Amino acid sequence: ALEPGRPYRVVLLGANGVGKTAFARIFAGAEDSMDTDECELCGDETWEKMIEVDGESATVTLLDTCDAETGSEWSQECHMQTGDAFLLLYSITDRASFLRASELRINLRRFRPAQHTPIILVGNKCDLVRCRDVSVSDGRACAAVFDCKFIETSAAMQHNVWEAFHGIVRQLRLRRDSK
Ligand code: GDP
């Protein structure tokens, strides 16, 4: 169960190149006092930070994962069990990454059966309008099927990225408060 004082573990999932590291950079910001850590086993990085959402502070541990699409999917899957919430990223310019997000969502369900896990489907790179390969309505429809929230973002423009982080904290709080 989530205790009010414990950091929320938020995991970034998605195909390579969709913008997970860009998200983590925005989260990390310019602070040098932040705790950063590297997972010895898989080399994934974590950042811990206190953020304020709706006038209440929350400590978030963010995990940036690497997608090993060939062979072992171990890295992302090992975090599927330990995360409290997930930002499932794809690039709106890359249909394959959108399909990959669906696969990851299905894997997530396998690892987290019978639990309502907060997930936001994130269509990143929405600044690249001319290269759009996944429509807003496709993204929204996919989120509806997967029973999760949906947002389009641009890490490059810093558009909606904090909204995604705040949104996941709100969902975590709702879940905590309903227990
Ligand atoms: P990761 O493999 O998921 O960690 O992806 P990265 O964060 O390394 O991003 C892959 C590439 O996409 C980099 O060249 C980023 O600069 C670029 N990128 C990430 N987010 C955006 C975005 O919102 N818009 C644009 N135009 N480029 C982005």
Side-chain angles (χ1 to χ4, degrees):
L2 287 171
E3 304 300 342
R6 184 168 82 66
Y8 294 124
R9 257 173 104 79
V10 176
V11 182
L12 295 169
L13 296 177
N16 289 322
V18 297
K20 297 181 296 298
T21 305
F23 259 61
R25 279 209 194 109
I26 290 172
F27 181 82
E31 287 176 41
D32 42 35
S33 60
M34 189 156 24
D35 292 331
T36 68
D37 224 334
E38 198 165 312
C39 171
E40 281 179 28
L41 292 170
C42 45
D44 290 340
E45 284 192 282
T46 69
W47 286 266
E48 190 165 301
K49 189 173 189 176
M50 185 117 88
I51 63 174
E52 192 158 307
V53 182
D54 304 329
E56 199 188 324
S57 56
T59 309
V60 173
T61 304
L62 185 73
L63 269 103
D64 182 13
T65 64
C66 287
D67 193 21
E69 274 168 310
T70 48
S72 134
E73 288 172 356
W74 187 78
S75 165
Q76 293 202 336
E77 294 195 348
C78 79
H79 297 305
M80 287 187 179
Q81 301 173 62
T82 60
D84 297 315
F86 300 88
L87 292 174
L88 187 49
L89 273 71
Y90 65 91
S91 164
I92 66 141
T93 64
D94 176 8
R95 190 101 202 154
S97 73
F98 182 59
L99 301 176
R100 179 74 187 134
S102 297
E103 282 175 21
L104 287 164
R105 175 68 185 97
I106 289 160
N107 291 349
L108 209 44
R109 189 170 279 166
R110 194 149 52 82
F111 279 103
R112 322 280 304 222
Q115 282 179 44
H116 187 74
T117 305
I119 299 171
I120 301 181
L121 181 67
V122 178
N124 189 39
K125 306 199 187 183
C126 71
D127 56 296
L128 298 175
V129 280
R130 289 196 193 150
C131 311
R132 184 182 279 276
D133 200 15
V134 182
S135 69
V136 177
S137 53
D138 281 356
R140 210 172 271 141
C142 181
V145 167
F146 285 148
D147 191 26
C148 62
K149 302 251 182 216
F150 173 66
I151 193 169
E152 280 202 353
T153 61
S154 166
M157 310 289 286
Q158 303 222 4
H159 171 70
N160 270 355
V161 175
W162 279 107
E163 279 72 5
F165 288 132
H166 290 177
I168 209 80
V169 169
R170 286 190 190 106
Q171 284 190 52
L172 283 158
R173 281 180 181 158
L174 282 172
R175 199 170 146 250
R176 177 193 70 194
D177 293 344
S178 68
K179 285 202 171 165

